[in-house]
Amino acid sequence: MDASPTVVFSLNFIAIIPLAKLLGFATEEIALRSGSTIGALLNATFGNAVELILGIIALKEGLIRVVQASVLGSILSNLLLVLGFCFFLGGVTRTEQKFNVTAAQTSCSLLALTTLSLLVPAAFSASTPDDQEDKEGILQLSHGVSIVLLIVYLLYLFFQLKTHTFLYEDEEDETEFPTTTLAFSVASLLVIACVVSLHAEYLVGAIEGVVEHWGINQTFVGIILLPIVGNAAEHASSVTFALKDKMNLCIGIAVSSSLQIGLLVSPVLVLTGWAIGQPMTLFFEDFETVILFASVLIVNYLIQDGRSNWLEGVLLLSSYVIIAMAFYLYPK
């Protein structure tokens, strides 16, 4: 029996809620055994694996703008929405929360590099004639930049997991102990992530039918709605850790996820497009690039002191609401 898009959307969204709780539990178990750095990295990786798979599928269909919107939307939702909720809900019952300053500043620097990788193609396009040669130049530039970004991401992993692991670890909590084996936790994380991706795929497929009744434009759907529902489980995990005052783990999930999108997922999608003959580039619309630049700037200001409070959470959430309104009203 064919269900209406609204029913499919609602049921799959409800199904993701308990799965988010299980995903958070599995991540915390891994973090208790192997450290918060590994736990945060695994959580972000499994969450973004779904993005990458859906992106490649859309790329094969030639839906380049949808892929670009999804990439930008994922970065914005992690930086503003998730981090905003973490700061706000974690800070409501506390004066302030602390996290490692050096790790936060390193993450901000990498986010700035991600923004630069989008600003350069935009500036390149704005300063050259709009012709076939210009488009070919942007395509070749995107291929080269993507290779550089992948190398930087690999070096960042080496920095995070090998040479400077101590920067990303939360202080050990002697009152909490793992209740499952490491193998069971990793297997659970893998299975739950697969189930979440299945529900997310149905949910994403139903969104287009639902928004037809609302009269919302496709840009708003790709940048605001899809990332929220597609990463719901990952978002819930991050907020859970903020409530427990595990801010290094919380920021590790939210910011590391954005870094993975910018330094890993985007370049892989560009290079995949190169391999299959789709002209996927790092040239986004000027409006979108400016918004990303402003968002990274705001986050940089707020996390550079290594402290957070509920008001900073309000600032990030307000920024996301303003951006959402702008994309909602953006010409179709």
Side-chain angles (χ1 to χ4, degrees):
M1 184 178 68
D2 293 331
S4 71
T6 304
V7 172
V8 174
F9 179 90
S10 302
L11 291 179
N12 282 282
F13 188 80
I14 292 170
I16 285 176
I17 296 173
L19 289 170
K21 178 67 176 176
L22 292 174
L23 196 67
F25 171 76
T27 303
E28 189 169 19
E29 287 292 307
I30 293 171
L32 288 172
R33 286 190 176 277
S34 57
S36 59
T37 306
I38 299 292
L41 183 63
L42 284 174
N43 189 290
T45 301
F46 281 119
N48 290 332
V50 179
E51 292 279 327
L52 183 59
I53 292 168
L54 293 178
I56 291 174
I57 292 171
L59 200 57
K60 285 182 178 178
E61 299 296 323
L63 304 173
I64 294 173
R65 280 297 299 148
V66 173
V67 175
Q68 288 182 325
S70 178
V71 165
L72 179 65
S74 293
I75 295 175
L76 291 176
S77 68
N78 278 300
L79 284 183
L80 301 179
L81 184 66
V82 180
L83 209 55
F85 271 120
C86 288
F87 285 178
F88 177 71
L89 295 176
V92 165
T93 56
R94 302 174 181 88
T95 304
E96 65 178 17
Q97 293 177 288
K98 298 180 182 180
F99 46 88
N100 190 285
V101 183
T102 307
Q105 289 177 338
T106 302
S107 297
C108 281
S109 300
L110 289 167
L111 285 171
L113 177 64
T114 300
T115 308
L116 179 69
S117 71
L118 301 183
L119 282 173
V120 170
F124 184 94
S125 175
S127 59
T128 55
D130 188 15
D131 53 24
Q132 187 60 38
E133 186 178 349
D134 172 41
K135 293 178 180 177
E136 187 63 30
I138 292 175
L139 191 59
Q140 292 177 1
L141 176 63
S142 297
H143 295 160
V145 170
S146 296
I147 293 171
V148 173
L149 292 179
L150 285 175
I151 293 172
V152 170
Y153 184 70
L154 292 175
L155 293 174
Y156 165 65
L157 287 182
F158 184 73
F159 178 87
Q160 185 184 36
L161 300 177
K162 189 70 176 176
T163 63
H164 291 72
T165 307
F166 62 94
L167 294 177
Y168 296 88
E169 292 291 343
D170 273 308
E171 294 181 6
E172 291 187 10
D173 189 345
E174 297 181 356
T175 62
E176 288 192 273
F177 302 95
T179 57
T180 63
T181 64
L182 182 61
F184 179 81
S185 300
V186 173
S188 298
L189 193 64
L190 181 61
V191 171
I192 295 166
C194 289
V195 176
V196 167
S197 68
L198 183 65
H199 283 293
E201 189 172 355
Y202 280 114
L203 197 146
V204 167
I207 281 183
E208 188 172 354
V210 172
V211 298
E212 282 181 3
H213 299 289
W214 302 347
I216 301 173
N217 66 60
Q218 289 297 317
T219 306
F220 179 82
V221 174
I223 292 181
I224 303 298
L225 289 186
L226 290 188
I228 290 176
V229 297
N231 299 329
E234 188 180 329
H235 294 180
S237 299
S238 190
V239 172
T240 300
F241 297 129
L243 292 172
K244 294 183 178 182
D245 203 24
K246 296 184 177 182
M247 292 306 291
N248 282 340
L249 181 54
C250 162
I251 289 178
I253 293 173
V255 179
S256 289
S257 185
S258 293
L259 290 177
Q260 269 196 351
I261 293 289
L263 300 178
L264 178 65
V265 175
S266 302
V268 168
L269 288 172
V270 170
L271 296 177
T272 300
W274 188 11
I276 64 176
Q278 292 288 354
M280 171 72 180
T281 71
L282 293 174
F283 171 52
F284 287 45
E285 296 293 332
D286 294 342
F287 177 65
E288 298 166 3
T289 307
V290 169
I291 281 181
L292 178 62
F293 176 77
S295 300
V296 170
L297 196 65
I298 291 169
V299 172
N300 189 23
Y301 278 129
L302 293 183
I303 71 175
Q304 65 183 353
D305 63 348
R307 300 168 185 268
S308 67
N309 54 59
W310 64 265
L311 182 59
E312 291 184 349
V314 170
L315 296 179
L316 290 174
L317 291 173
S318 299
S319 301
Y320 192 75
V321 171
I322 291 170
I323 290 170
M325 288 192 294
F327 278 115
Y328 182 80
L329 297 171
Y330 195 72
K332 297 181 182 179

